[in-house]
Amino acid sequence: MTMVDEAWGLEAKRVFYRYEVDETHKVLALAGVDFEVSQGEFVVVLGPNGSGKSTLAKHFNALLLPDDGDVWIFGMNTKDSESTWEIRRSAGMVFQNPDNQLVATVVEEDVAFGPENLGVKPQDIRELVANALEAVGMEAFNRHAPHHLSGGQKQRVAIAGILAMKPKCIILDEPTAMLDPAGREEVMKTIKGLNEEMGITIIHITHFMDEALYADRVIVMNEGQIVMQGTPKTVFGQSHIISQIGLDVPPVGKLSQELCLAGINIDPGALTVDELVDELCQLKSGI
Amino acid sequence: MPIEVRNLTHTYMQGTISEVTAIFDINFRIDDGEFIGLIGATGSGKSTLIQHLNGLLKPSSGTVLVDGVDIWSKGVSLKKVRQKIGLVFQYPEQQVFEETVYDDIAFGPKNLGYSQKEVEGQVEEACELVGLDRELLSRSPFELSGGQVRRVAIAGILAIKPKVLILDEPTAGLDPRGRREILDNIKNLHETGISVILVSHNMDDVARLCERIMVLDKGKLVADGPAREVFSQGRFLESIDLKPPDVTVLMEKLRDRGWAVRNDVLTVEEACAEIVKELQRRGVAGAI
Ligand SMILES: Nc1ncnc2c1ncn2[C@@H]1O[C@H](COP(=O)(O)OP(=O)(O)O)[C@@H](O)[C@H]1O
Ligand SMILES: Nc1ncnc2c1ncn2[C@@H]1O[C@H](COP(=O)(O)OP(=O)(O)O)[C@@H](O)[C@H]1O
Ligand SMILES: [Mg+2]
Ligand SMILES: [Mg+2]
């Protein structure tokens, strides 16, 4: 076992990764990615299709290993094969399609799957499963069949399955892509709660710009590189780069920017409805 | 090609213990050239409803009239109905099965018995309409990006020259650029005179594009009217797990704070104009 320093988070150092399509043809998916995530951070990753988001995510739980450079997960190098299981336990992944992730016929069995695989004692598993389901607000569904749940509920069960392994970090690759608005909000609030209450590090990949507003930090990828990062405010403030690479500023952000252009004296970086309402309501007349 | 739905009810697996009534006593009429947004939570019956409009599903009770004729009455060719009313399924990439993009788009018109020459012309035209590069025609559909596959699926339906185009969540899972491109295509198609029914979870898109909104909740049609009217009912929409566009919500909150702004704005541009106007009325510096 490698020693784990609690202060360490996730780190990618000059990571290059190529997919080998055939002998003559390789696709450069990551072109020198430098990226650090501190313990307890909530990071949202944006970027057009094919920009390397999923490839990067898979590096964080050792599903892929860098061709060049290194990836460190809580102090463990992903190239060190002795650490692979510990890395996968501490940085779990949730994917897009909830139906492909749930395997058991009963919710609690599905959640128990991970700890069982880790060889946890049955009596301890019960408690892990109960706690995990409670953390995602699905305890009342423990005896239900997963296929009868809504999309948002299925994703919460998938998240519980990871929580049952006591991870430090959860990496979610477009977990909301197939959900309706209520399901999306359900999943976003769940992961925000896990981040705030349990200190779990979150890396959330999405095409929904409004989901970036949950983040401490937003990373924008394009063509295998990180092209921008910062708070949602700084990132969406650079609207020319955002639109250049095909992304969008969320509607309220766009409205704030347009109002500023029209000469209204408000913060052009207001991104949420409540922020903009407050900005507008403090404007004084007749000066 | 008006479509009229009367007292339409559909029950899956009728008579078994797992029977589900997916849509219940639905009534509406769609006229030529309309652009309709169909919204509702997952499971509310959207996909079930639209599959009745071109005869893919048979009503458990009630009728679907196309051009005034009940499509399930004797002597009506469902094949002709499906030629007039094209439906693009949700996640069409799961149904792409031909070897080349050309074959995939040509499948419909070939099936309808058009000559090879006619088929070629229709494929060509369909590609033009959705902005699909000719070079892609000889490729395998599996080599394309998500957005391109959606366009192939739409082209496949357009190649049969429908009068009505129904799209079931055509932008789900696409990145912002892919989504915008598909929506621009759909908007252009509507401008050529085709009626469009767009099923979507994206309220901003639906509010911006659609003139009329139909809302399903647990199998019932609970609202049907102009986009402005439907989306100004924020509280009602929230009660059925939907929400108006953010800019509409913003206007409602400004009204709660005593601002004299309209609550039925649908786009960023409209909201901006409305707020500037109110600020000018209030004599706020900068807004003049
Ligand atoms: N299994 C694969 N084989 C070959 N190329 C791949 C494979 N997976 C991804 N790629 C390519 O790698 C690049 C990055 O892909 P990906 O990480 O999936 O991007 P994103 O998740 O941002 O859409 C793209 O050019 C994509 O086509
Ligand atoms: N083939 C089917 N067999 C049985 N039940 C179905 C089938 N398709 C849909 N349903 C049920 O009908 C209801 C409406 O589903 P659907 O029309 O797919 O809604 P939406 O498209 O709004 O998500 C749901 O309860 C769903 O589970
Ligand atoms: Mg991806
Ligand atoms: Mg559906």
Side-chain angles (χ1 to χ4, degrees):
Chain A
M1 241 312 285
T2 331
M3 280 298 291
V4 176
D5 183 329
E6 285 300 324
W8 270 327
L10 289 73
E11 197 174 347
K13 272 212 167 122
R14 287 195 57 72
V15 171
F16 285 81
Y17 186 83
R18 296 165 195 83
Y19 288 97
E20 203 155 322
V21 182
D22 52 51
E23 273 129 53
T24 55
H25 188 194
K26 284 185 176 187
V27 177
L28 181 62
L30 295 178
V33 171
D34 278 304
F35 182 31
E36 270 175 49
V37 182
S38 334
Q39 181 89 261
E41 236 190 319
F42 192 130
V43 176
V44 164
V45 183
L46 305 177
N49 256 336
S51 57
K53 304 180 298 298
S54 296
T55 305
L56 180 61
K58 286 175 188 156
H59 276 78
F60 284 139
N61 93 341
L63 283 172
L64 294 177
L65 299 177
D67 292 340
D68 271 308
D70 287 287
V71 175
W72 300 84
I73 307 299
F74 305 111
M76 298 172 280
N77 191 316
T78 57
K79 284 177 185 162
D80 174 6
S81 59
E82 280 181 17
S83 302
T84 303
W85 282 109
E86 182 54 19
I87 287 173
R88 296 214 176 128
R89 190 199 61 74
S90 44
M93 270 193 88
V94 176
F95 297 94
Q96 189 180 98
N97 191 338
D99 293 317
N100 298 344
Q101 297 177 73
L102 305 181
V103 286
T105 50
V106 180
V107 163
E108 62 183 11
E109 284 171 17
D110 212 288
V111 177
F113 196 73
E116 271 166 14
N117 261 0
L118 293 172
V120 178
K121 282 182 291 187
Q123 59 269 38
D124 295 339
I125 290 181
R126 288 185 82 87
E127 198 184 324
L128 281 173
V129 169
N131 289 344
L133 282 171
E134 199 184 324
V136 300
M138 288 295 290
E139 63 275 22
F141 294 83
N142 60 339
R143 303 292 308 156
H144 284 233
H147 68 270
H148 281 312
L149 303 177
S150 72
Q153 291 172 331
K154 284 179 193 167
Q155 287 298 46
R156 280 151 68 199
V157 172
I159 293 169
I162 286 169
L163 282 179
M165 296 195 279
K166 301 243 153 212
K168 293 208 198 77
C169 171
I170 303 181
I171 301 152
L172 305 103
D173 194 352
E174 297 191 39
T176 54
M178 303 177 92
L179 306 183
D180 65 7
R184 279 210 296 134
E185 189 169 341
E186 205 177 299
V187 168
M188 291 312 297
K189 288 200 167 142
T190 300
I191 57 182
K192 188 74 183 167
L194 298 178
N195 174 255
E196 284 177 347
E197 282 147 38
M198 301 169 72
I200 293 180
T201 308
I202 300 286
I203 300 180
H204 172 70
I205 301 175
T206 184
H207 285 317
F208 294 104
M209 299 299 126
D210 55 350
E211 291 175 2
L213 306 185
Y214 287 86
D216 300 318
R217 183 157 57 112
V218 179
I219 304 286
V220 181
M221 291 194 71
N222 195 35
E223 295 176 352
Q225 287 179 321
I226 293 175
V227 291
M228 241 200 298
Q229 59 176 306
T231 60
K233 216 173 248 211
T234 30
V235 164
F236 290 120
Q238 290 168 277
S239 52
H240 53 290
I241 304 180
I242 289 288
S243 59
Q244 205 176 359
I245 60 176
L247 303 180
D248 276 330
V249 175
V252 175
K254 228 181 270 176
L255 180 55
S256 303
Q257 291 172 3
E258 297 218 346
L259 286 166
C260 280
L261 285 178
I264 312 294
N265 185 22
I266 54 158
D267 176 6
L271 287 170
T272 66
V273 168
D274 290 334
E275 268 176 318
L276 182 51
V277 167
D278 287 342
E279 282 289 315
L280 287 168
C281 287
Q282 72 199 20
L283 289 171
K284 296 278 179 293
S285 62
I287 310 159
Chain B
M1 188 94 339
I3 303 175
E4 206 178 330
V5 163
R6 288 190 194 153
N7 307 107
L8 179 64
T9 295
H10 189 89
T11 305
Y12 287 106
M13 297 176 291
Q14 197 152 26
T16 72
I17 47 158
S18 25
E19 106 175 5
V20 186
T21 296
I23 50 172
F24 182 75
D25 196 23
I26 302 228
N27 291 281
F28 60 81
R29 180 190 159 90
I30 297 170
D31 285 311
D32 287 349
E34 285 201 77
F35 196 150
I36 294 173
L38 177 58
I39 62 176
T42 301
S44 59
K46 304 179 298 296
S47 297
T48 303
L49 174 59
I50 57 175
Q51 289 177 73
H52 281 84
L53 304 185
N54 73 344
L56 283 172
L57 286 177
K58 190 173 182 181
S60 302
S61 64
T63 44
V64 176
L65 302 136
V66 172
D67 259 345
V69 179
D70 178 350
I71 61 171
W72 290 98
S73 60
K74 263 210 190 101
V76 174
S77 152
L78 283 175
K79 198 167 167 180
K80 286 220 173 98
V81 170
R82 285 175 201 149
Q83 188 184 346
K84 298 280 184 263
I85 301 170
L87 192 156
V88 181
F89 283 97
Q90 197 171 354
Y91 298 110
E93 47 275 32
Q94 292 165 1
Q95 296 166 45
V96 172
F97 47 86
E98 298 292 326
E99 235 165 74
T100 67
V101 169
Y102 179 90
D103 290 336
D104 215 90
I105 301 175
F107 184 82
K110 264 189 200 158
N111 229 15
L112 289 168
Y114 286 102
S115 73
Q116 195 186 329
K117 194 139 183 104
E118 287 168 318
V119 172
E120 273 170 27
Q122 271 157 262
V123 171
E124 183 92 353
E125 209 176 307
C127 285
E128 183 91 27
L129 284 169
V130 299
L132 204 64
D133 197 336
R134 299 282 182 295
E135 271 179 26
L136 296 178
L137 286 174
S138 58
R139 297 255 209 104
S140 156
F142 298 99
E143 291 172 27
L144 306 185
S145 73
Q148 286 169 329
V149 178
R150 298 285 165 90
R151 272 188 275 174
V152 170
I154 297 174
I157 296 298
L158 291 176
I160 58 174
K161 297 186 164 280
K163 298 266 194 297
V164 180
L165 180 63
I166 307 172
L167 303 113
D168 199 352
E169 300 189 33
T171 62
L174 297 184
D175 69 356
R177 177 175 282 153
R179 198 185 94 230
R180 234 177 354 252
E181 286 173 356
I182 293 283
L183 292 173
D184 285 347
N185 285 155
I186 296 170
K187 190 161 171 267
N188 292 338
L189 288 167
H190 175 247
E191 279 159 13
T192 67
I194 295 182
S195 329
V196 176
I197 302 173
L198 173 66
V199 178
S200 176
H201 285 312
N202 190 316
M203 299 302 140
D204 295 326
D205 292 342
V206 167
R208 185 166 56 82
L209 293 167
C210 303
E211 293 141 7
R212 173 177 166 194
I213 306 292
M214 301 208 292
V215 188
L216 282 180
D217 177 44
K218 299 186 188 77
K220 294 199 178 143
L221 184 62
V222 292
D224 178 3
R228 280 186 205 289
E229 278 173 28
V230 172
F231 282 127
S232 52
Q233 309 293 318
R235 261 175 218 106
F236 165 70
L237 290 174
E238 268 168 44
S239 74
I240 56 171
D241 273 344
L242 297 174
K243 214 173 94 182
D246 277 347
V247 291
T248 319
V249 174
L250 178 102
M251 300 311 263
E252 194 61 57
K253 291 209 172 170
L254 286 174
R255 283 162 66 94
D256 289 346
R257 298 257 203 127
W259 286 48
V261 287
R262 277 167 37 208
N263 66 343
D264 64 351
V265 310
L266 296 175
T267 63
V268 168
E269 293 71 29
E270 283 177 9
C272 186
E274 191 66 13
I275 290 170
V276 169
K277 205 165 74 185
E278 168 70 359
L279 288 172
Q280 283 169 345
R281 199 186 60 77
R282 294 174 167 223
V284 172
I288 297 132

